[in-house]
Amino acid sequence: MKGCRPLTDSEIATVKNAFVRTRDKALFILGLKTGLRISELLSLKVGDVYQYGRLADVVYVERKHMKKKLEGRAIPLHQDAKAALSVWIKELEKAGKTDASSPLFRSRKGHGQRAITRVQAFRVLTEVYEANGLMGNRGTHSMRNTFADGIY
């Protein structure tokens, strides 16, 4: 079978507890709970999830960031995703980096002006998968497949 396969509940629990950085944990949980593609997740700005001093209930991904670019999509945020984002946003606030137009999942390179790349997101996730003995085809798309498997 080609492509990434979904994660089991026990694998999800293992991976959630294995992240060192809150940014990476927030990325993983947001991907699991929204079903967004990695490029859509990385296109999010701080202002998309953090508005008027609190987390938004719905995240809107603009049409230009969608795969077929036909229309944007509004996704309600799951409580688990809100909890992970809350921790990440608090960390950004401490660093003074909650400008609405800055990337939500910022890179450490380039003074945080750009989001991490899809390749870096893949590296982060596969490192955690391998460190916890999760073998097989797993990558960034595993989050989306896990979301779809839960809906099915």
Side-chain angles (χ1 to χ4, degrees), residues 6 35 81 89 104-105 107 122 137 147:
I89 293 291
L104 180 61
F105 301 108
S107 172
F122 177 80
N137 289 338
F147 175 78

Side-chain angles (χ1 to χ4, degrees), residues 45-56 89 93 98 100 104:
K45 305 289 183 201
V46 171
D48 294 335
V49 297
Y50 189 67
Q51 303 162 356
Y52 308 111
R54 67 180 191 89
L55 285 173
I89 293 291
E93 281 179 334
T98 53
L104 180 61

Side-chain angles (χ1 to χ4, degrees), residues 59-111:
V59 173
Y60 183 76
V61 180
E62 294 180 26
R63 179 179 74 152
K64 66 182 177 180
H65 301 298
M66 302 301 285
K67 186 174 182 178
K68 295 183 182 178
K69 299 185 186 334
L70 297 176
E71 60 185 61
R73 188 171 25 168
I75 298 115
L77 279 180
H78 190 275
Q79 289 301 92
D80 293 347
K82 279 186 172 183
L85 284 173
S86 172
V87 173
W88 174 232
I89 293 291
K90 283 179 185 171
E91 195 171 299
L92 288 176
E93 281 179 334
K94 283 182 185 174
K97 297 179 180 179
T98 53
D99 179 38
S101 62
S102 63
L104 180 61
F105 301 108
R106 61 182 60 218
S107 172
R108 291 185 300 171
K109 293 183 179 178
H111 305 289

Side-chain angles (χ1 to χ4, degrees), residues 1-6 122 135-142 145:
M1 183 167 117
K2 195 173 183 181
C4 295
R5 71 177 185 91
F122 177 80
M135 295 301 171
N137 289 338
R138 291 193 174 67
T140 56
H141 209 68
S142 292
N145 286 351

